[in-house]
Structures are given as structure tokens and as C-alpha cells.
């Protein structure tokens, strides 16, 4: 029967896990530089708009609860 395949081996795929310490450090450095660029390049009024939107969302969630 087709569902009885006891002799077939299970196939697995090996993916790179980033075990190299240098690659991990480079990844963290790139993430940090990206966050720093976003923080420095986005104007303050955009951050205030995002904070305002988050406060409105929290207010709606509190009202619905």
C-alpha cells in the first residue's frame, strides 16, 4: 500500500547555522549600524508621529478591553 513506506529513509537538509564567530560579530555590527542610521536619519517629527500613532493604538486597545 502507498502509505506503508517503511524502507524509505527520511531526507534531511542541512542549512548553515552561522557558527562562525566572525560572521556572528559582523552580523551584530551590521544590525547596530542599521539601527543607528535609522535613528539618526529619520527626523524627529517622524518619530513623534510614530509615538502618537502608538499611543492612539494603545488607547483603542484599552477602550475595547
Amino acid at each position: 500500500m502507498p502509505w506503508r513506506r517503511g524502507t524509505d529513509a527520511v531526507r534531511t537538509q542541512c542549512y548553515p547555522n552561522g557558527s562562525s564567530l566572525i560572521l556572528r560579530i559582523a552580523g551584530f555590527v551590521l544590525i547596530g549600524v542599521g539601527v543607528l542610521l535609522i535613528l539618526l536619519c529619520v527626523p524627529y517629527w517622524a518619530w513623534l508621529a510614530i509615538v502618537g500613532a502608538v499611543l492612539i493604538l494603545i488607547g483603542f486597545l484599552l477602550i475595547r478591553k
Side-chain angles (χ1 to χ4, degrees):
M1 297 192 179
W3 61 86
R4 291 189 168 188
R5 295 184 182 192
T7 59
D8 291 340
V10 176
R11 291 190 224 174
T12 59
Q13 181 77 25
C14 295
Y15 295 100
N17 60 359
S19 61
S20 172
L21 183 62
I22 295 172
L23 289 177
R24 286 186 133 190
I25 292 172
F28 285 125
V29 167
L30 288 175
I31 290 170
V33 168
V35 168
L36 187 65
L37 282 174
I38 289 173
L39 288 175
L40 294 177
C41 293
V42 174
Y44 73 93
W45 55 266
W47 289 115
L48 291 177
I50 292 171
V51 168
V54 169
L55 289 174
I56 292 171
L57 180 65
I58 290 172
F60 278 130
L61 291 175
L62 289 175
I63 290 172
R64 292 190 70 180
K65 202 169 191 184

